[in-house]
Amino acid sequence: MKDKLFLPLFLRTAARFLLFWLIVMGVLTLRNLDTQERLLNSGLSESEDWNLRDCQLVLEGDYDPAIKPAQLEDRLSAYYSMYGAMGVYRLYDVDGQELARSQLTSGLFCLPGTGTYSYHLRFDPVLTEEEHLALVRRLREERQLLQFYGTDGGLYEEYLGSDQGINFSVGLRGEVTGVVEANVVYPQKLVYYYEDGPVVLLDTDSDFFDGKELTTLTFDAARISSPLIWSDTSPELALELFREAEARVDSLTADQPPSTNQASTLSGRSGSAHVGPSATLNGIIAASGVAYRPARMALHGLEAVYVGTLLLALLLAFYTARSQTRSLRRERALTNAVAHELKTPLALLRSYAEGLQEDIAPEKREEYLAVIMEESDRMAALVNSLLDFSRMASGKMALRAEAVDLSGLVGEVCRPLDRPAAEKGVRLALETPPCTVSGDRERLRALCAELCGNALRHCRPGGAVRVSLARKGDRVRLQVGNDGDPIPPEALERVFDPFYRVDEARDRAQGGSGLGLALVRETARLHGGTCGAENGPSGPVFWVELPLYNSGASMI
């Protein structure tokens, strides 16, 4: 039954919280996308500046014109970011002829004994997309193969005793077979030789080599690089983004060659491209293109935020639904209790009213009228108590705050009880030293009257009702106990609940609305106090703690 009530409330509450979460996360995601795009453009521009400065050194240096293109391409390294974006660069001369472009996969190697990386490896014209991906996957798995040192040439013998296989690979020598043009080699086969045998890193049957002369070169050091290796995306997505970035630059240069007289920009939600004169290299046109996935970029760095806030939203929905469930159960229980309390007096009223309609003896008429009046008064008292409880529980009851002599108030409440106590043979014992609290006098009177009257009703004949006041720091404790049957332990936590009765039959016979102790708890709460019940040596003890009056503090 509880699950039937809680689950629908939880689902409705969770739906509202999740809708709010989606709206907030949507706004946060869009703002994060804008931020990441700005960071990407800044990083792309900074990378371009560094690349162009390196290219300037090559162009201004005293190099053989035949080897400059390869050196320029090595300087134009592709840009990659930690959220998968790919950027490429190109250089054009004043006539719009391409000088160099970023390579997808490239490398360097040095001939034995030279210690100088004088030859360049160009994989892009040779490999198919599938061969690129196969090479990249292997280099991702065995990253020590990105940097190779051979000991046959004598320059790298000191690496034999190093931690091999961690940052680089140490073997005997390397060999590359391919087409050689100036200082550029287009590799058909690339092999590392180790003491325990060769490792073939590349062996392709590409159509690129048809009808061309192949040359084999030996090297004792080599380096291979590719943005696809270091990208945090899959190799397939990294390659796709690289090609998209190239296509963006192509779209700006397809209609007419790049010119130093104009600049063109292409922008979109998944990337951008720019072609224009270089501020670093006079007479040189620089181009750049970048591609990314907006969704991946928007989510970058927010994964923990999404998970944390989603769990928090569900947790808040759970506790909200649980609170609503408890409130609804209390409301239903209160409604059922009120209906149950009114059922008996209403039945009596109808029964005696029907009796009055008959021809009955005059003396019976007076008796019937007395019962009707008594039950009407009981219902009126119940309704008034219920209204008071509702106003207190909802915080709508206004308290008239003043300094109240609690000792004197207890005496006023107990004096009218002397006679019924004497008739029952019960002794009233008061120990009430002077103390003053801040509160509503009438509500505090009702609180004291309920505790004292309740103790008297449930005190055994010949017993005693003990009322005491005791200071506890800045609070005063009003304690009312009686000689009577102890309250079962499981009932001690519930005696202050509305319409809860420890002994249903006896409590109804003794009268009362069933809301007295509930009103005591609400009154104590409104005054900043607490209440409770416990079993003493001779019977039940009810207590209320209230703050002492402080003339320097504001009242309720």
Side-chain angles (χ1 to χ4, degrees):
M1 183 65 182
K2 291 183 178 181
D3 292 337
K4 290 181 179 180
L5 185 60
F6 171 78
L7 185 58
L9 282 174
F10 173 72
L11 292 177
R12 288 197 295 269
T13 305
R16 296 189 187 100
F17 274 90
L18 288 178
L19 178 60
F20 177 74
W21 177 81
L22 285 173
I23 294 173
V24 173
M25 289 299 103
V27 174
L28 181 62
T29 300
L30 291 177
R31 290 181 62 88
N32 186 58
L33 177 58
D34 290 337
T35 300
Q36 296 300 335
E37 284 179 335
R38 288 195 297 270
L39 292 176
L40 173 62
N41 291 329
S42 175
L44 188 69
S45 177
E46 183 178 349
S47 174
E48 183 179 22
D49 288 342
W50 279 104
N51 288 343
L52 293 179
R53 289 191 181 95
D54 287 342
C55 290
Q56 185 177 24
L57 296 177
V58 174
L59 292 173
E60 294 176 353
D62 187 16
Y63 295 98
D64 184 345
I67 68 174
K68 280 189 177 182
Q71 291 177 319
L72 287 175
E73 287 187 338
D74 279 340
R75 266 57 172 188
L76 288 180
S77 57
Y79 176 79
Y80 64 92
S81 67
M82 297 308 294
Y83 39 77
M86 278 287 171
V88 298
Y89 306 103
R90 292 183 192 173
L91 286 183
Y92 300 89
D93 61 17
V94 292
D95 296 325
Q97 297 298 314
E98 183 178 314
L99 297 177
R101 65 167 57 197
S102 299
Q103 296 295 304
L104 180 60
T105 306
S106 61
L108 297 167
F109 68 90
C110 60
L111 299 178
T114 64
T116 302
Y117 289 94
S118 55
Y119 278 83
H120 302 264
L121 294 170
R122 290 293 176 262
F123 296 85
D124 292 11
V126 174
L127 303 182
T128 63
E129 304 285 79
E130 291 73 18
E131 289 173 329
H132 262 299
L133 291 175
L135 177 61
V136 166
R137 291 192 193 98
R138 181 171 186 183
L139 293 176
R140 278 192 175 197
E141 295 173 358
E142 303 176 67
R143 298 199 176 185
Q144 73 275 10
L145 297 179
L146 290 170
Q147 194 167 346
F148 174 83
Y149 294 104
T151 59
D152 278 357
L155 292 180
Y156 302 105
E157 292 180 350
E158 68 272 18
Y159 289 144
L160 285 175
S162 63
D163 295 328
Q164 299 182 26
I166 296 180
N167 297 319
F168 49 83
S169 177
V170 177
L172 301 176
R173 67 186 181 282
E175 284 185 357
V176 58
T177 300
V179 175
V180 180
E181 295 180 358
N183 64 332
V184 175
V185 178
Y186 299 94
Q188 185 269 335
K189 187 174 184 179
L190 181 62
V191 184
Y192 295 159
Y193 289 92
Y194 300 91
E195 290 183 353
D196 53 357
V199 171
V200 179
L201 193 61
L202 174 67
D203 190 359
T204 178
D205 56 357
S206 172
D207 295 340
F208 176 86
F209 301 102
D210 293 347
K212 297 177 182 178
E213 181 182 356
L214 299 180
T215 302
T216 299
L217 297 176
T218 301
F219 59 84
D220 58 6
R223 294 177 182 177
I224 301 175
S225 64
S226 173
L228 273 62
I229 297 172
W230 304 105
S231 173
D232 62 348
T233 66
S234 66
E236 293 78 7
L237 179 57
L239 176 59
E240 184 178 344
L241 291 171
F242 187 92
R243 296 306 185 203
E244 287 183 12
E246 287 187 320
R248 291 182 182 278
V249 179
D250 290 338
S251 65
L252 290 181
T253 59
D255 296 335
Q256 59 182 3
S259 171
T260 56
N261 297 323
Q262 61 182 13
S264 301
T265 300
L266 174 69
S267 298
R269 247 318 180 195
S270 60
S272 62
H274 176 78
V275 176
S278 169
T280 303
L281 300 174
N282 294 329
I284 298 297
I285 302 168
S288 63
V290 63
Y292 54 87
R293 293 291 177 264
R296 182 179 177 87
M297 181 179 289
L299 299 178
H300 178 69
L302 295 180
E303 295 84 356
V305 176
Y306 287 133
V307 175
T309 53
L310 178 60
L311 292 177
L312 179 61
L314 293 176
L315 187 62
L316 289 175
F318 173 81
Y319 281 108
T320 301
R322 189 172 70 169
S323 177
Q324 291 175 338
T325 301
R326 290 176 177 175
S327 178
L328 187 57
R329 287 178 186 148
R330 286 196 298 266
E331 182 179 336
R332 290 183 177 181
L334 184 60
T335 302
N336 292 335
V338 171
H340 187 68
E341 291 291 331
L342 291 176
K343 184 177 180 180
T344 300
L346 286 173
L348 286 174
L349 286 175
R350 181 173 181 84
S351 175
Y352 280 90
E354 289 175 350
L356 289 174
Q357 290 178 334
E358 300 175 0
D359 188 13
I360 60 175
E363 61 274 12
K364 289 287 187 181
R365 183 178 298 274
E366 295 297 326
E367 180 183 343
Y368 282 18
L369 288 173
V371 171
I372 290 175
M373 293 297 294
E374 181 181 349
E375 294 302 324
S376 298
D377 291 342
R378 178 178 297 181
M379 285 194 297
L382 174 61
V383 171
N384 289 333
S385 296
L386 190 60
L387 289 173
D388 286 345
F389 176 77
S390 177
R391 285 195 294 266
M392 286 184 181
S394 62
K396 295 181 179 180
M397 174 169 283
L399 298 182
R400 183 181 177 184
E402 57 182 320
V404 179
D405 178 10
L406 190 58
S407 176
L409 187 63
V410 170
E412 293 177 13
V413 170
C414 289
R415 273 193 292 273
L417 299 179
D418 287 339
R419 183 185 219 174
E423 292 175 354
K424 193 175 180 179
V426 172
R427 177 174 60 88
L428 291 177
L430 274 65
E431 186 180 348
T432 56
C435 63
T436 303
V437 297
S438 175
D440 188 304
R441 183 179 183 83
E442 292 306 314
R443 298 314 313 171
L444 292 176
R445 178 191 292 275
L447 179 149
C448 295
E450 175 61 32
L451 291 179
C452 295
N454 185 65
L456 180 59
R457 285 194 301 273
H458 294 87
C459 185
R460 69 170 65 97
V465 173
R466 289 168 288 276
V467 183
S468 64
L469 291 174
R471 294 196 179 197
K472 299 181 66 177
D474 59 348
R475 304 170 80 84
V476 60
R477 183 183 181 107
L478 168 62
Q479 185 167 292
V480 181
N482 69 301
D483 295 332
D485 297 331
I487 300 174
E490 66 275 7
L492 285 173
E493 296 295 329
R494 300 191 57 196
V495 291
F496 291 95
D497 292 346
F499 299 109
Y500 180 78
R501 290 184 169 94
V502 178
D503 188 334
E504 188 77 17
R506 187 181 69 175
D507 289 352
R508 286 186 181 277
Q510 291 179 341
S513 65
L515 286 170
L517 291 177
L519 290 172
V520 167
R521 180 174 62 185
E522 292 301 320
T523 301
R525 181 183 64 81
L526 289 177
H527 285 80
T530 57
C531 63
E534 57 193 42
N535 286 314
S538 58
V541 175
F542 289 82
W543 55 267
V544 174
E545 288 188 1
L546 299 169
L548 285 167
Y549 172 70
N550 183 356
S551 59
S554 59
M555 293 190 180
I556 299 172

